[in-house]
Amino acid sequence: AGLVITGDQPKQVLVRGLGPSMKSKFPSTAKVLMDPQLRLYKGSTLLATNDNWADASNADDIASLAASIRPVDSREPAILLTLEPGLYTAHLLGVNGDTGNANVAVYDLTGR
């Protein structure tokens, strides 16, 4: 998934990978990616990676976000950070090469 931070000020964002929670929200979804890993790039530079959101160094900050945007399944990744204006790419892939349907969600938290 691609994302663009516009303007001239940095923005705090939450980038989430949804896999297991999709099954409970959308039961008809075909095989979901049960253990997704998230990587965030600016160009070819890896900025951050996460496998399970609760293992992030700022997991307490992620847990304090509104229930409507914070991860609910411990196997899902999340990256919370402040990004400068520019172009970014989020890669969602299966741990150990697993495959399935998944989704990337990005939330702008600036000014929340």
Side-chain angles (χ1 to χ4, degrees):
L3 61 134
V4 179
I5 304 297
T6 59
D8 57 4
Q9 298 296 313
K11 293 187 180 214
Q12 185 181 39
V13 298
L14 174 69
V15 183
R16 283 184 54 198
L18 290 85
S21 66
M22 288 176 55
K23 198 64 175 170
S24 61
K25 288 184 179 187
F26 309 103
S28 64
T29 302
K31 183 180 184 295
V32 298
L33 184 58
M34 294 307 292
D35 192 6
Q37 180 183 54
L38 184 62
R39 296 178 184 165
L40 184 66
Y41 293 87
K42 183 170 187 180
S44 61
T45 302
L46 178 64
L47 299 178
T49 186
N50 183 257
D51 181 3
N52 301 317
W53 74 269
D55 294 336
S57 61
N58 57 354
D60 289 341
D61 295 330
I62 295 170
S64 72
L65 295 172
S68 61
I69 64 170
R70 72 175 172 251
V72 292
D73 192 294
S74 63
R75 296 169 289 180
E76 292 180 326
I79 297 172
L80 174 66
L81 72 171
T82 300
L83 298 176
E84 295 294 327
L87 306 173
Y88 298 87
T89 307
H91 294 211
L92 192 60
L93 55 141
V95 172
N96 297 322
D98 193 20
T99 61
N101 291 303
N103 194 3
V104 173
V106 180
Y107 302 90
D108 178 356
L109 303 177
T110 305
R112 64 174 169 107

